Amino acid sequence: LQAAAVRTQLPGIHAQKSPGPHGMPGRGQGVRHDDGKFLQRCIQLLRRKRHPGKLPAHDPRLQQRLQVLVELDGRLIGNIMYTRSWLTDGDGNRREILTFGPVSILPECQRKGYGKQLMEYCIREAKSGGRSGVCMLGAQKQKAWLADQSFARKFGFEVVDTTANGYALLALSFDGTTPRFAPHAKKQEIERKELTIYYDLQCPYVHQTVETVRQYCEQNGIPVQFLLVDTLQKAKELPCVFNNWAVFYNGRFETVNLLDVSYLKRILKK
């Protein structure tokens, strides 16, 4: 569950083509699964960038990721992306759940019930699919790239686990199953003292950030280690809550936010 949230800086890049739309009643509006066209457009945009982690639409790794769109008079005004996930107990038994990231609604369309439609639709989908529940990553102090906890609580989500540095795991359980952060996720420390960055290539902005940090460190003689998280086992063993990117310095966890040079300088001054 370290990867409980999916970045949405380019919405739709992790969407999976659905068999077809599932409309909801409403004048000129509807909530539906992505029909694949939005995904194809995002992939076309990514192909213009130097991004070695991009995935073609037919890649099987996309099959675990789903997207629901909300439209108004044929205009896309919002979306929610979620991922099929599994909880495993001590006996090796698995239960399927959904994890999801931010609910995205255009600013001029917010506070009009569209986010509520997305949430209710996805909760119904999870129940009808026989899942054990839905969970999401949050934080005691609201972060820009995480869904609003107060909004999620309106639909029955509860905080079921926390970390010492303020991250929270929220869940809406249908069968009493309660997810927890993996034990390593609460460690928040490593033995290495040099700048250490764990990353994967699902987010299209990670590659360029790695190159920016690498170049700055080489120019200024700063030791840095980049550790690619490319297997499930590596993800389970990470010493932090992980969202495609995690930065450690002097052995301590610093941030899951992507770095520019100014942000990096502030960390190195600590």
Side-chain angles (χ1 to χ4, degrees):
L1 288 175
Q2 279 99 327
V6 179
R7 289 187 185 274
T8 55
Q9 291 161 309
L10 278 181
I13 185 57
H14 295 308
Q16 168 63 22
K17 183 177 180 181
S18 172
H22 300 272
M24 292 180 62
R27 185 170 180 265
Q29 68 185 52
V31 176
R32 65 174 177 84
H33 282 289
D34 179 22
D35 60 8
K37 294 180 180 179
F38 190 54
L39 168 63
Q40 291 290 348
R41 176 57 179 157
C42 290
I43 289 175
Q44 290 172 6
L45 290 174
L46 284 179
R47 282 175 178 160
R48 299 175 186 174
K49 297 180 177 290
R50 293 177 62 251
H51 173 47
K54 62 176 179 277
L55 301 177
H58 60 273
D59 193 291
R61 285 172 289 180
L62 295 175
Q63 294 179 3
Q64 305 305 321
R65 306 185 186 278
L66 308 170
Q67 176 173 222
V68 176
L69 312 175
V70 60
E71 294 180 335
L72 179 64
D73 297 327
R75 178 192 181 202
L76 177 64
I77 63 170
N79 76 321
I80 182 173
M81 288 187 289
Y82 50 99
T83 304
R84 294 177 61 196
S85 305
W86 287 264
L87 300 175
T88 304
D89 62 23
D91 297 323
N93 301 313
R94 300 206 312 170
R95 292 182 175 88
E96 185 176 346
I97 62 170
L98 293 182
T99 61
F100 74 93
V103 180
S104 303
I105 302 292
L106 287 178
E108 63 267 29
C109 297
Q110 292 176 5
R111 300 186 181 279
K112 296 181 180 180
Y114 300 121
K116 181 174 181 287
Q117 286 189 56
L118 283 173
M119 290 288 287
E120 291 176 343
Y121 184 80
C122 291
I123 290 171
R124 287 199 301 271
E125 286 281 292
K127 287 182 177 179
S128 64
R131 278 105 180 184
S132 291
V134 185
C135 72
M136 58 172 280
L137 182 66
Q140 293 175 4
K141 183 178 179 181
Q142 184 61 42
K143 300 181 184 296
W145 50 269
L146 290 178
D148 188 342
Q149 288 190 70
S150 62
F151 180 67
R153 285 194 179 97
K154 295 178 181 179
F155 301 90
F157 283 80
E158 298 178 344
V159 175
V160 294
D161 203 1
T162 59
T163 66
N165 63 338
Y167 285 99
L169 181 63
L170 288 85
L172 174 62
S173 179
F174 305 144
D175 62 3
T177 301
T178 304
R180 291 284 185 266
F181 284 121
H184 293 281
K186 295 186 175 184
K187 189 176 180 182
Q188 310 293 321
E189 294 181 347
I190 60 175
E191 294 183 2
R192 300 183 185 89
K193 300 300 181 182
E194 69 268 25
L195 181 66
T196 302
I197 297 176
Y198 296 91
Y199 72 101
D200 69 23
L201 292 171
Q202 294 185 72
C203 172
Y205 292 90
V206 166
H207 174 65
Q208 63 191 46
T209 305
V210 167
E211 294 307 310
T212 296
V213 173
R214 190 193 309 277
Q215 184 178 24
Y216 179 84
C217 290
E218 288 177 355
Q219 292 174 349
N220 293 275
I222 300 170
V224 60
Q225 186 168 25
F226 295 96
L227 300 175
L228 178 62
V229 182
D230 54 1
T231 68
L232 176 61
Q233 189 60 35
K234 288 181 182 179
K236 288 182 176 181
E237 295 174 353
L238 284 170
C240 61
V241 173
F242 182 65
N243 187 57
N244 302 334
W245 177 269
V247 180
F248 285 77
Y249 186 57
N250 284 328
R252 297 190 302 271
F253 173 74
E254 292 290 342
T255 183
V256 293
N257 294 333
L258 297 180
L259 303 177
D260 57 19
V261 172
S262 296
Y263 195 174
L264 176 58
K265 287 180 178 179
R266 292 199 299 271
I267 290 176
L268 295 174
K269 287 181 179 179
K270 295 181 179 181

